[in-house]
Amino acid sequence: MDRLNSLLATFEKVLIHVRRNVDSAMEQQLLQAVTLTQLQTELNTDQAKKTFWINIYNAFYQFEANKATANRKTIFSAKVIHIGHYYFSLDDIEHGILRKNRWKWSFGYLRNPFASALLKDLEVQEIDYRIHFALNCGAKSCPPIAFYTFEKLEQQLDHAMYSFLEQETTVDHPTKIIATSKLLLWYRADFGGTKGIKQILTKVLEFDTTPYTIKFADYSWETHLENFV
């Protein structure tokens, strides 16, 4: 566990450095020295995998988006994240590792038939829909960036879910219409389909949403970097 905590803490420091505009070259060099065996051995639970890869995603999005050459069309697919002897893209992390190799455009219903053996080796055992409230892609409608830790991950992900949905959801009781984030539409299978979405909203909003119609608000892609909490 000490070595695991060391690995997780190394990249937590990088996120802190991103927020403070401090150079993180030393930590990134350490990550480049990590082997596949270490990743498989030390990140051997979903809790560890989610902590590690959420922090990596959020830090590297900020790194890449702040470059003068940043291109939003390729920023998610470019394999620029150097860990061990491998290069990962933001899509590899989100849709491959954290979403158990779900095809990006299938609303979460289909496995990616072209997923690499590497991503299959590193993927989580179970998809946790709360990751969608933790990953930040630099847009105004994205969830804010938090520093996730192994010890407090469950509480932190719950907090991220409640905070995001309370902020992004409006309710019109007379018409029985709930408007919420389009994230729940784009990844609806992760949330358990329409039934699952209503169960989540019932939990967060604290009233029975079963008879309500769910609508999805427009998503603002306006750039909003360094949105930390």
Side-chain angles (χ1 to χ4, degrees):
M1 182 62 71
D2 289 341
R3 177 61 180 143
L4 171 60
N5 287 340
S6 175
L7 180 60
L8 297 176
T10 294
F11 216 85
E12 184 180 335
K13 291 179 183 177
V14 176
L15 264 179
I16 294 171
H17 289 174
V18 169
R19 182 170 188 172
R20 297 176 179 172
N21 292 316
V22 175
D23 182 74
S24 61
M26 182 179 72
E27 286 82 10
Q28 292 193 55
Q29 288 175 1
L30 290 173
L31 286 170
Q32 291 171 16
V34 172
T35 66
L36 177 59
T37 299
Q38 286 176 307
L39 286 175
Q40 293 171 320
T41 302
E42 297 164 24
L43 304 181
N44 60 358
T45 66
D46 278 6
Q47 184 174 346
K49 291 175 183 178
K50 287 182 288 188
T51 305
F52 184 72
W53 292 107
I54 288 171
N55 286 336
I56 284 182
Y57 184 102
N58 286 335
F60 269 94
Y61 184 88
Q62 297 296 310
F63 287 145
E64 296 306 311
N66 278 300
K67 291 180 179 178
T69 57
N71 183 335
R72 187 161 188 88
K73 291 183 179 179
T74 60
I75 194 170
F76 298 103
S77 59
K79 292 183 180 291
V80 295
I81 304 171
H82 188 185
I83 301 176
H85 302 293
Y86 303 94
Y87 286 85
F88 298 86
S89 68
L90 293 167
D91 278 349
D92 287 338
I93 295 172
E94 179 179 7
H95 306 295
I97 298 171
L98 291 173
R99 296 188 61 235
K100 200 173 172 63
N101 285 295
R102 288 302 182 268
W103 186 40
K104 184 176 181 178
W105 308 112
S106 71
F107 298 101
Y109 288 103
L110 300 176
R111 288 271 289 181
N112 180 1
F114 306 107
S116 69
L118 172 64
L119 294 181
K120 290 178 181 177
D121 284 341
L122 297 175
E123 69 182 13
V124 295
Q125 293 299 307
E126 299 290 339
I127 298 175
D128 185 340
Y129 64 81
R130 296 174 300 173
I131 66 162
H132 295 296
F133 310 123
L135 299 176
N136 179 280
C137 67
K140 188 175 182 180
S141 290
C142 282
I145 304 166
F147 304 104
Y148 290 91
T149 63
F150 178 81
E151 294 79 8
K152 297 181 179 179
L153 182 68
E154 286 301 307
Q155 301 96 305
Q156 288 178 309
L157 287 176
D158 272 346
H159 178 73
M161 175 184 71
Y162 275 89
S163 296
F164 183 78
L165 289 178
E166 286 171 356
Q167 180 176 335
E168 296 294 323
T169 305
T170 59
V171 181
D172 188 328
H173 289 291
T175 61
K176 293 194 179 301
I177 293 175
I178 298 174
T180 192
S181 173
K182 247 181 187 166
L183 285 174
L184 282 77
L185 171 65
W186 292 332
Y187 305 113
R188 63 188 179 210
D190 294 11
F191 295 102
T194 301
K195 182 179 179 180
I197 290 171
K198 286 188 174 182
Q199 289 174 342
I200 294 165
L201 290 173
T202 293
K203 179 179 180 181
V204 172
L205 300 176
E206 298 183 332
F207 69 85
D208 183 11
T209 64
T210 304
Y212 284 69
T213 298
I214 307 297
K215 293 190 175 181
F216 301 98
D218 290 338
Y219 201 85
S220 174
W221 290 103
E222 180 183 345
T223 300
H224 188 191
L225 297 177
E226 300 179 4
N227 179 21
F228 291 92
V229 292

